[in-house]
Amino acid sequence: MTDERPIAVVTGASAGIGAATVDALVGAGWNVIAAARRIDRLQELAARHGDHCLPIALDVTDAASAASLPQRLPEGWRAVAALVNNAGHDIGGKTPFEERPVADWIAIIETNISGMMRVTHALAPALLAARGHVVNIGSIAGVTALANDSAYCASKFAVNGFSKALRLDYSGRMRVTEILPGVVETEFDRVRRHGDDEAARRFYAAFARRLQPEDIAACVLFALSQPAHVTIAELLVMPSA
């Protein structure tokens, strides 16, 4: 990678919002580091974009994997100007709190907020050097409680607070945006239900309108495209009625 495009990191890039964000950013003139656990899917993504997309294995729940990310980047890919924290899940969600092992709920917290903090901490020096931009993918569940989703709501409320505080900490030195989508139709619900395709189909069918991954990717690009003196602090995105 030898051109002068700015560099972004997208976590959870193997599917859904993450993959759509990689597509949108590359199309808008960025070089993108696509990070996730499923390296095979990342390689398929990179095949579409050639030299403008670098696939890299990342497990945000693994402290060593996150902390070593900057050192594992090739020399020409280290001047990271934007981080899109998208990795997250709700495996076991939509279930009353007492009906699942507490380890399932802690695993949601571990990915959705602890993982976000790990990656942001690892890339903070590069982002600050670039006067860069962090975009955290939150959720409407971070501002409105949802039934049978206590752990997911807890994680997304934490993302909301983390984003607000980080914005204050780095005001004037790094921009911080949180995007809070409503229902987005991806593989998210299928994964949440351990691969139950029919249950996922019924879940999404219950909504008259659903957002698509490309809708959220467009919001990411909108936030990143603002002039340096403008910060899109929070963007709450809902499907039209």
Side-chain angles (χ1 to χ4, degrees), residues 93-169:
K94 293 301 176 189
T95 307
F97 180 73
E98 83 283 0
E99 291 185 8
R100 297 198 67 85
V102 72
D104 287 1
W105 305 137
I106 298 302
I108 293 170
I109 301 293
E110 189 66 18
T111 297
N112 294 5
I113 182 62
S114 300
M116 178 180 289
M117 295 175 74
R118 287 188 186 97
V119 177
T120 304
H121 189 271
L123 292 175
L127 289 162
L128 286 166
R131 300 183 71 84
H133 200 151
V134 175
V135 180
N136 294 330
I137 305 300
S139 169
I140 189 174
V143 291
T144 302
L146 305 176
N148 292 326
D149 241 340
S150 53
Y152 186 71
C153 287
S155 72
K156 291 301 185 177
F157 268 76
V159 169
N160 184 252
F162 176 63
S163 301
K164 283 181 164 71
L166 205 67
R167 190 178 309 115
L168 294 175
D169 290 348

Side-chain angles (χ1 to χ4, degrees), residues 34-50:
R37 292 178 300 173
R38 295 180 290 186
I39 193 70
D40 56 330
R41 292 222 188 161
L42 297 179
Q43 288 168 341
E44 292 172 9
L45 190 62
R48 288 208 299 272
H49 298 302

Side-chain angles (χ1 to χ4, degrees), residues 62-232:
D62 183 323
S65 178
S68 66
L69 178 60
Q71 291 71 43
R72 291 189 289 120
L73 297 175
E75 187 64 36
W77 287 86
R78 293 184 177 180
V80 175
L83 166 62
V84 182
N85 280 311
N86 168 71
H89 70 78
D90 186 29
I91 295 173
K94 293 301 176 189
T95 307
F97 180 73
E98 83 283 0
E99 291 185 8
R100 297 198 67 85
V102 72
D104 287 1
W105 305 137
I106 298 302
I108 293 170
I109 301 293
E110 189 66 18
T111 297
N112 294 5
I113 182 62
S114 300
M116 178 180 289
M117 295 175 74
R118 287 188 186 97
V119 177
T120 304
H121 189 271
L123 292 175
L127 289 162
L128 286 166
R131 300 183 71 84
H133 200 151
V134 175
V135 180
N136 294 330
I137 305 300
S139 169
I140 189 174
V143 291
T144 302
L146 305 176
N148 292 326
D149 241 340
S150 53
Y152 186 71
C153 287
S155 72
K156 291 301 185 177
F157 268 76
V159 169
N160 184 252
F162 176 63
S163 301
K164 283 181 164 71
L166 205 67
R167 190 178 309 115
L168 294 175
D169 290 348
Y170 293 112
S171 178
R173 295 189 290 156
M174 182 171 73
R175 290 187 285 178
V176 179
T177 296
E178 185 188 9
I179 297 174
L180 303 96
V183 175
V184 184
E185 191 170 9
T186 67
E187 66 175 31
F188 181 87
D189 195 71
R190 178 181 175 275
V191 173
R192 168 163 59 197
R193 301 174 195 274
H194 301 280
D196 188 334
D197 290 315
E198 180 56 26
R201 186 198 65 77
R202 291 195 303 270
F203 173 78
Y204 289 119
F207 297 89
R209 296 278 182 91
R210 285 87 63 191
L211 297 167
Q212 298 301 313
E214 294 76 16
D215 300 324
I216 309 309
C219 293
V220 173
L221 185 58
F222 171 72
L224 291 175
S225 300
Q226 299 306 304
H229 69 285
V230 175
T231 296
I232 304 299

